[in-house]
């Protein structure tokens, strides 16, 4: 909360009139248009107006500069105001005007119940054409293979401490992916295994003479296998890192406040790549079967990595935190006593509660010393777990200015921008129109289980004809409405009277029939 107030104050001070123009990435060219078959990109929905005239107050200027919704929603100014209404929480979906998202993808979103000033989620759905660079394999390009590749792209970005990082990632991450794939076009089009080493530029040392190699070749007993799939995974990982580095460079000049979780899907050459950095999730529902395509990255699930980093680099803890994990917070009166602890917490696969219940984990007694009174690096369990008592996610983009409350200690060294990428081969199965990939921000999964999502998929899709393209939008809306609940008893309640999600909720429903069946 304190960081959010600081960000808002800084934004108000720096906003002197009309909002600054959106920055162009210094290291990215203008977006390459998709092939003629792809629908042209519409302009992003304009920012919501809080007033009119040149004398608008600073708060109105800030609202216009910071609030926007995904392009494909095609919201009018009135629609933007309804989308920004915390009381009504109207569900937003693309208009049913015949111009649909690729693959007839369904999408729906709803704003939070007052958690933040605006909806800090963002979404992107694009068809991206990748034009290959000059031949990188040292031989003339085969003209029969074409000059480029096309990939389909979906992205959900769950912002926190401001919407700037999510908005920037929704505009630029797919361009970074495209740039990383440019050098791979020729290799991916070649069915033979990828080369382990590409020829260097002619005229450079070692381009044709192998005598510069040191040591005998026989030391390499086996050759590591490289697949086209691993190259695409590497390109996506590099794109996430470059996106995060760009946010670091531009965070001051362009007010890229906060950070965001990122859940991205890339369809390329028959395979679906699901990249996740954060606590959003994706599942495939295929013939009633649930196939997880991601996992959450939180202080609870990454406790081992965080504690190991704190052990290896204690300077990152600033003398304020300890990487050690005790059953509970150590009290000053317990100095000199011996308390149970896990000597190597990064080697455990379960949380403290879990491994204590199982009776495993290499526990030992330790004499309590003064440094053991420091606050634990990872505190809490489940959704209440926090890194340095501040943030509840451990992977994502941005957060370069995030510091411990009432301290100057940065948290970014403990946060990773690298996603976990899982691959699903569409060509290995014959999918029916009811097989879908569901992407959702944590606003959906906090109150909805995988089984409940699968049941909603079956219930909604069975009510529509298989060739009705609007069925996937209806499914996305049903999932959002089911997680939001209805207003009752001064809150949003689910049918079982439990609290509904008060967070921003964004959902993509992608039919797995692919571009051939659902274009």
């Amino acid at each position: 909360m304190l960081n959010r107030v600081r960000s808002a104050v800084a934004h108000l001070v720096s906003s002197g009139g009309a909002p600054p123009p959106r920055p162009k990435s210094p290291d990215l060219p203008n977006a390459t248009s998709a092939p003629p078959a792809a629908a042209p990109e519409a302009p992003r929905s304009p920012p919501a107006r809080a007033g009119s005239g040149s004398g608008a107050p600073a708060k109105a200027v800030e609202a216009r500069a910071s609030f926007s919704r995904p392009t494909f929603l095609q919201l009018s100014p009135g629609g933007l105001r309804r989308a920004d209404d915390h009381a009504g929480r109207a569900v937003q979906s693309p208009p049913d005007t015949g111009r649909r998202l690729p693959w007839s993808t369904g999408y729906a979103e709803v704003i939070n119940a007052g958690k933040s000033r605006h909806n800090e989620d963002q979404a992107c759905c694009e068809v991206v054409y990748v034009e290959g660079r000059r031949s990188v394999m040292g031989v003339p390009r085969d003209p029969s293979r074409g000059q480029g590749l096309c990939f389909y792209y979906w992205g959900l970005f769950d912002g926190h401490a401001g919407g700037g990082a999510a908005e920037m990632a929704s505009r630029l991450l797919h361009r970074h992916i495209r740039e990383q794939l440019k050098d791979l076009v020729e290799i991916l089009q070649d069915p033979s295994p990828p080369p382990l080493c590409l020829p260097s530029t002619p005229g450079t040392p070692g381009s044709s003479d192998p005598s510069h190699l040191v040591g005998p070749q026989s030391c390499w007993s086996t050759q590591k296998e490289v697949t086209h799939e691993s190259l695409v995974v590497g390109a996506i990982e590099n794109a996430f890192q470059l996106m995060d580095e760009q946010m670091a460079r531009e965070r001051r000049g362009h007010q890229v406040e906060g950070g965001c979780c990122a859940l991205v899907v890339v369809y390329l050459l028959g395979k679906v790549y699901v990249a996740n950095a954060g606590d959003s999730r994706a599942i495939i529902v295929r013939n009633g079967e649930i196939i997880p395509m991601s996992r959450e990255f939180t202080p609870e699930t990454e406790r081992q990595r965080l504690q190991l980093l704190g052990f290896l680099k204690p300077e990152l803890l600033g003398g304020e935190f300890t990487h050690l994990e005790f059953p509970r917070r150590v009290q000053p009166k317990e100095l000199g006593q011996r308390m149970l602890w896990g000597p190597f917490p990064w080697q455990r696969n379960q949380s403290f509660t879990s491994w204590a219940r199982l009776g495993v984990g290499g526990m030992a007694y330790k004499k309590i010393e003064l440094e053991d009174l420091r606050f634990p690096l990872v505190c809490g369990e489940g959704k209440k777990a926090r890194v340095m008592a501040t943030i509840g996610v451990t992977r994502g983009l941005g957060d370069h200015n995030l510091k411990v409350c009432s301290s100057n200690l940065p948290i970014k060294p403990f946060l990773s921008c690298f996603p976990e990428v899982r691959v699903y081969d569409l060509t290995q199965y014959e999918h029916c129109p009811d097989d879908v990939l569901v992407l959702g921000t944590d606003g959906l999964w906090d109150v909805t289980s995988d089984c409940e999502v699968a049941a909603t998929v079956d219930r909604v899709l069975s009510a529509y004809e298989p060739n009705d393209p609007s069925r996937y939008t209806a499914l996305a809306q049903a999932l959002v409405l089911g997680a939001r609940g209805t207003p009752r008893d001064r809150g949003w309640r689910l049918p079982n009277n439990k609290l509904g999600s008060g967070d921003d909720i964004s959902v993509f429903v992608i039919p797995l029939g692919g571009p051939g069946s659902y274009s």
Side-chain angles (χ1 to χ4, degrees):
M1 178 62 73
L2 180 60
N3 288 322
R4 189 175 297 164
V5 172
R6 290 173 177 169
S7 176
V9 171
H11 199 123
L12 289 174
V13 171
S14 61
S15 300
R22 287 192 181 123
K24 284 191 176 181
S25 168
D27 51 358
L28 289 176
N30 292 330
T32 302
S33 58
E41 180 180 356
R44 181 170 288 272
S45 298
R49 283 189 181 275
S52 60
S54 59
K59 288 185 179 180
V61 174
E62 187 271 339
R64 288 198 300 271
S66 62
F67 176 56
S68 65
R69 300 313 308 142
T71 299
F72 53 76
L73 288 178
Q74 304 177 40
L75 296 179
S76 64
L80 275 168
R81 286 192 291 271
R82 287 189 295 274
D84 203 32
D85 180 15
H86 297 277
R89 298 188 75 190
V91 176
Q92 307 296 322
S93 288
D96 189 10
T97 58
R99 178 186 172 188
R100 300 189 180 277
L101 296 179
W103 296 17
S104 294
T105 297
Y107 176 81
E109 69 172 34
V110 72
I111 195 172
N112 60 80
K115 178 181 176 182
S116 59
R117 181 175 181 181
H118 300 298
N119 188 339
E120 295 180 345
D121 284 1
Q122 286 291 345
C124 182
C125 183
E126 298 283 350
V127 182
V128 184
Y129 181 70
V130 186
E131 184 175 0
R133 305 190 202 274
R134 296 179 182 178
S135 178
V136 297
M137 299 179 67
V139 295
R141 184 191 298 274
D142 184 354
S144 64
R145 293 177 184 160
Q147 298 299 312
L149 294 172
C150 188
F151 70 84
Y152 293 82
Y153 172 90
W154 299 262
L156 287 181
F157 305 92
D158 184 357
H160 48 257
E167 201 274 340
M168 184 177 185
S170 70
R171 289 187 292 108
L172 297 179
L173 182 55
H174 60 285
R175 299 187 185 186
H176 280 290
I177 295 176
R178 183 197 66 208
E179 289 296 310
Q180 292 301 301
L181 289 175
K182 281 185 175 181
D183 287 331
L184 303 178
V185 168
E186 187 178 358
I187 298 174
L188 296 175
Q189 290 176 332
D190 188 345
S192 60
L196 294 184
C197 184
L198 296 176
S200 57
T201 305
T204 58
S207 60
S208 59
D209 181 12
S211 61
H212 65 286
L213 295 175
V214 179
Q217 295 279 347
S218 58
C219 66
W220 297 93
S221 57
T222 58
Q223 179 173 297
K224 294 184 178 180
E225 181 183 0
V226 180
T227 63
H228 293 87
E229 180 180 297
S230 63
L231 293 179
V232 177
V233 170
I236 295 173
E237 292 172 341
N238 289 340
F240 270 69
Q241 183 182 21
L242 292 171
M243 183 75 258
D244 191 63
E245 291 173 354
Q246 183 177 352
M247 288 182 177
R249 293 193 305 269
E250 301 184 8
R251 66 185 186 273
R252 291 189 178 89
H254 303 296
Q255 300 171 347
V256 184
E257 75 275 11
C260 69
C261 301
L263 176 62
V264 163
V265 172
V266 172
Y267 170 79
L268 177 64
L269 298 176
K271 293 184 178 181
V272 172
Y273 300 82
V274 181
N276 183 46
D279 59 0
S280 299
R281 286 204 298 115
I283 65 170
I284 284 176
V285 181
R286 188 187 67 199
N287 194 26
E289 178 188 5
I290 298 171
I291 305 173
M293 290 303 297
S294 68
R295 62 188 176 104
E296 297 178 346
F297 291 99
T298 66
E300 181 80 357
T301 63
E302 292 214 280
R303 191 180 296 259
Q304 300 170 19
R305 178 182 71 82
L306 298 170
Q307 291 173 335
L308 177 57
L309 181 57
F311 169 74
L312 296 176
K313 295 189 175 182
E315 66 274 11
L316 297 178
L317 302 174
E320 302 180 29
F321 295 87
T322 175
H323 71 279
L324 301 180
E325 183 178 2
F326 294 92
R328 59 168 172 78
R329 184 76 185 275
V330 179
Q331 303 298 320
K333 62 182 180 181
E334 295 169 329
L335 280 171
Q337 299 182 17
R338 296 169 63 84
M339 179 176 284
L340 199 64
W341 75 301
F344 303 105
W346 49 87
Q347 294 181 354
R348 296 197 303 268
N349 293 322
Q350 305 290 337
S351 67
F352 192 95
T353 302
S354 300
W355 59 256
R357 184 174 63 249
L358 294 172
V360 297
M363 300 164 63
Y365 286 95
K366 178 187 184 300
K367 182 179 179 181
I368 300 300
E369 301 174 357
L370 192 61
E371 54 266 27
D372 298 328
L373 300 179
R374 297 169 183 166
F375 205 82
L377 171 63
V378 178
C379 61
E381 294 184 358
K383 292 295 292 186
K384 295 182 179 180
R386 294 291 183 268
V387 179
M388 294 179 158
T390 305
I391 188 170
V393 291
T394 53
R395 298 201 190 189
L397 303 171
D399 288 314
H400 295 279
N401 293 327
L402 184 63
K403 291 180 171 58
V404 176
C405 186
S406 303
S407 171
N408 201 38
L409 189 62
I411 301 178
K412 181 64 176 178
F414 290 95
L415 308 181
S416 172
C417 65
F418 286 97
E420 178 189 62
V421 184
R422 298 188 182 184
V423 186
Y424 181 82
D425 192 343
L426 280 181
T427 65
Q428 296 298 311
Y429 307 93
E430 187 169 341
H431 297 90
C432 73
D434 290 355
D435 296 337
V436 294
L437 171 61
V438 178
L439 316 181
T441 55
D442 64 329
L444 170 70
W445 304 109
D446 283 350
V447 297
T448 313
S449 68
D450 292 355
C451 292
E452 289 171 331
V453 168
T456 303
V457 169
D458 179 66
R459 173 175 58 82
V460 174
L461 295 185
S462 62
Y464 287 81
E465 292 294 328
N467 60 351
D468 186 349
S470 65
R471 65 204 306 256
Y472 305 109
T473 297
L475 174 55
Q477 292 172 341
L479 291 171
V480 171
L481 286 170
R484 184 202 67 179
T486 56
R488 189 170 68 248
D489 298 333
R490 293 178 294 179
W492 295 85
R493 297 281 176 176
L494 304 178
N496 59 10
N497 206 37
K498 291 184 179 180
L499 281 175
S501 176
D503 200 355
D504 302 315
I505 311 172
S506 300
V507 172
F508 269 127
V509 176
I510 306 171
L512 294 180
S517 302
Y518 301 102
S519 59

